[in-house]
């Protein structure tokens, strides 16, 4: 992007810090981090598919992703895992170039299974047994540590309409939403056609009542999805703005946060195709577009971490969807991933059977997120134990050799 074009974009929407002051640009060279928060708890079992688990296929008779080598089957990663086919043209090439990896069995030890409680606890990054301080998010604490040490001029930004909890704190942080929220309305055409077929018959009233109940249920489900997303942009919105985010991070900011909603799939989740597959496709195009727009040199110094508040139930429910779970899968992408991590599923793992499920329903958490981020921050920024303790107090970093 030419400097003149960048200045025009920046002039259209000034970047104000916490105190309303224009933020200084960071150094031209430096490490960059983007955290992508999938609000609503995405179904990791259909993203990173446990293709070696017969229990997975028995647990999901309607929504499982078929094994590799079959029509619409998972993209083979290794002997145990496959990737959703919707990512064949976007994330899979990055994985094959060793610029993407996945952390299975990741997440928080928070057991509330509440979207709001767990989203807050993750963004805060504080001990679960202590009183929460909503004035101190973990990314803001990281910015404060970097600004006082390894990086003297760090500029954080949230691509959101309000400053997220993760960036609240003493360090100055900008926020700016690059796209509005997309809302999809229910299409009533088929309902009207079916109702017309039964008009003036004995079944007219039962059919009308059935559609009324269905509409009430769908409105309730949509309301929960909207609430769980906390006004985050849709995956389609992320796809549209990801390249603009990359330009801003490449040329001005070095610590970013964005949230993407629409992942609370209790009903009609779909399998290789359908609602969730469409969201994966949009998210994948956004991530790939971000990587491309960063350019080779900046991408080599950039790490993108995709997280969610928790996973979903391992078994499908009666509505061909999944419910609130526990452990999930994180994505880590970047041009400088290590040979030990790039193109691999990393972190502590175990076979997925009924006996290994958490509370006989969910993925267990074997890679606690603060420990994982702590290990990543130590490698990315060379932070000392004392500096890491300021970001995640009392947490021993878990070194997955990501970079």
């Amino acid at each position: 992007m030419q400097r003149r074009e960048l200045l025009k974009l920046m002039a259209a929407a000034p970047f104000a810090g916490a105190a309303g002051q224009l933020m200084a640009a960071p150094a031209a060279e430096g490490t960059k981090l983007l955290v992508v928060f999938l609000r609503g708890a995405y179904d990791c079992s259909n993203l990173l598919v446990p293709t070696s688990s017969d229990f997975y296929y028995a647990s999901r008779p309607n929504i499982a992703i078929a094994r590799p080598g079959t029509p619409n089957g998972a993209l083979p990663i290794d002997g145990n895992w496959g990737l959703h086919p919707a990512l064949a043209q976007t994330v899979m090439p990055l994985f094959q170039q060793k610029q993407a990896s996945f952390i299975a069995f990741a997440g928080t030890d928070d057991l509330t299974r509440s979207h709001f409680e767990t989203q807050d606890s993750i963004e805060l990054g504080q001990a679960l047994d202590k009183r929460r301080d909503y004035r101190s998010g973990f990314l803001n604490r990281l910015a404060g540590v970097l600004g006082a040490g390894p990086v003297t001029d760090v500029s954080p930004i949230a691509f959101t309409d309000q400053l997220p909890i993760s960036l609240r704190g003493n360090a100055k942080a900008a926020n700016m939403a690059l796209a509005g929220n997309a809302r999809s309305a229910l299409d009533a055409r088929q309902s009207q056609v079916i109702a017309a077929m039964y008009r003036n018959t004995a079944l007219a009233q039962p059919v009308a009542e059935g559609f009324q109940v269905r509409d009430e249920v769908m409105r309730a489900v949509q309301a929960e999805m909207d609430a769980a997303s906390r006004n985050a942009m849709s995956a389609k919105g992320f796809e549209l703005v990801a390249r603009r985010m990359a330009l801003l991070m490449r040329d001005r900011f070095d610590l970013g946060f964005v949230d993407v909603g629409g992942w609370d799939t209790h009903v009609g989740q779909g399998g290789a195709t359908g609602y969730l597959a469409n969201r994966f496709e949009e998210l994948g195009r956004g991530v790939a577009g971000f990587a491309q727009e960063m350019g080779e040199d900046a991408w080599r110094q950039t790490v993108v971490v995709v997280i969610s508040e928790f996973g979903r139930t391992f078994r499908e429910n009666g509505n061909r969807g999944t419910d609130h779970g526990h452990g999930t899968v994180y994505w880590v992408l970047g041009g400088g991933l290590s040979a030990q991590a790039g193109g691999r599923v990393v972190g502590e793992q175990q076979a997925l059977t009924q006996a290994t499920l958490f509370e006989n329903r969910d993925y267990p958490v074997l890679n606690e997120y603060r420990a994982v981020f702590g290990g990543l921050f130590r490698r990315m920024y060379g932070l000392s134990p004392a500096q890491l303790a300021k970001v995640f107090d009392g947490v021993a970093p878990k070194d997955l050799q990501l970079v």
Side-chain angles (χ1 to χ4, degrees), residues 331-344:
W331 314 15
V332 182
L333 309 100
L337 296 191
S338 71
Q340 291 79 10
R344 294 183 56 204

Side-chain angles (χ1 to χ4, degrees), residues 143-335:
V145 168
L146 294 177
V151 182
T152 57
D153 191 9
V154 60
S155 292
I157 183 172
F159 299 100
T160 56
D161 57 358
Q162 295 182 351
L163 194 67
I165 292 174
S166 61
L167 276 172
R168 292 181 187 174
N170 295 326
K172 291 181 180 180
N175 70 281
M176 185 188 71
L178 298 181
N181 298 323
R183 301 293 186 197
S184 58
L186 293 174
D187 184 359
R189 183 182 63 82
Q190 289 183 323
S191 301
Q192 294 172 351
V193 170
I194 294 173
M197 291 172 56
Y198 290 96
R199 191 173 297 134
N200 299 323
T201 71
L203 293 176
Q205 185 63 25
V207 168
E209 291 175 353
F211 281 131
Q212 181 179 356
V213 171
R214 183 210 63 176
D215 291 343
E216 290 174 356
V217 170
M218 292 304 296
R219 281 195 296 271
V221 170
Q222 186 64 43
E224 181 180 351
M225 288 186 67
D226 292 345
S229 296
R230 286 189 165 179
N231 295 319
M233 77 174 82
S234 66
K236 181 65 175 178
F238 175 73
E239 176 191 351
L240 295 173
V241 304
R243 289 180 179 273
R244 295 176 63 194
M245 289 168 46
L247 292 173
L248 291 168
M249 288 202 66
R250 187 187 70 191
D251 296 328
R252 182 177 177 88
F253 297 96
D254 43 19
L255 182 61
F257 176 94
V258 65
D259 50 11
V260 182
W263 304 96
D264 196 24
T265 53
H266 289 282
V267 177
Q269 174 177 305
T273 60
Y275 177 85
L276 185 61
N278 292 339
R279 304 293 80 75
F280 283 151
E281 186 174 3
E282 292 160 354
L283 182 66
R285 286 198 293 262
V287 168
F290 181 90
Q292 184 179 47
E293 202 67 45
M294 286 295 290
E296 185 177 348
D297 291 340
W299 180 238
R300 193 178 298 114
Q301 299 185 78
T302 299
V303 175
V304 177
V305 185
V306 182
I307 67 175
S308 196
E309 63 262 38
F310 44 72
R312 305 193 73 80
T313 48
F314 195 69
R315 300 177 182 89
E316 67 178 70
N317 62 27
N319 294 313
R320 300 195 176 192
T322 49
D323 299 319
H324 298 181
H326 186 45
T328 185
V329 172
Y330 291 172
W331 314 15
V332 182
L333 309 100

Side-chain angles (χ1 to χ4, degrees), residues 89-130:
Q89 303 302 318
T90 55
V91 176
M92 191 61 181
L94 291 172
F95 188 87
Q96 292 169 333
Q97 296 165 28
K98 300 187 183 303
Q99 296 180 15
S101 63
F102 298 96
I103 307 173
F105 304 103
T108 172
D109 293 330
D110 188 311
L111 297 179
T112 63
R113 293 192 178 88
S114 161
H115 293 295
F116 316 114
E117 289 284 332
T118 314
Q119 287 175 16
D120 287 356
S121 68
I122 286 178
E123 290 196 68
L124 291 169
Q126 301 166 11
L128 297 176
D129 60 351
K130 295 182 180 179

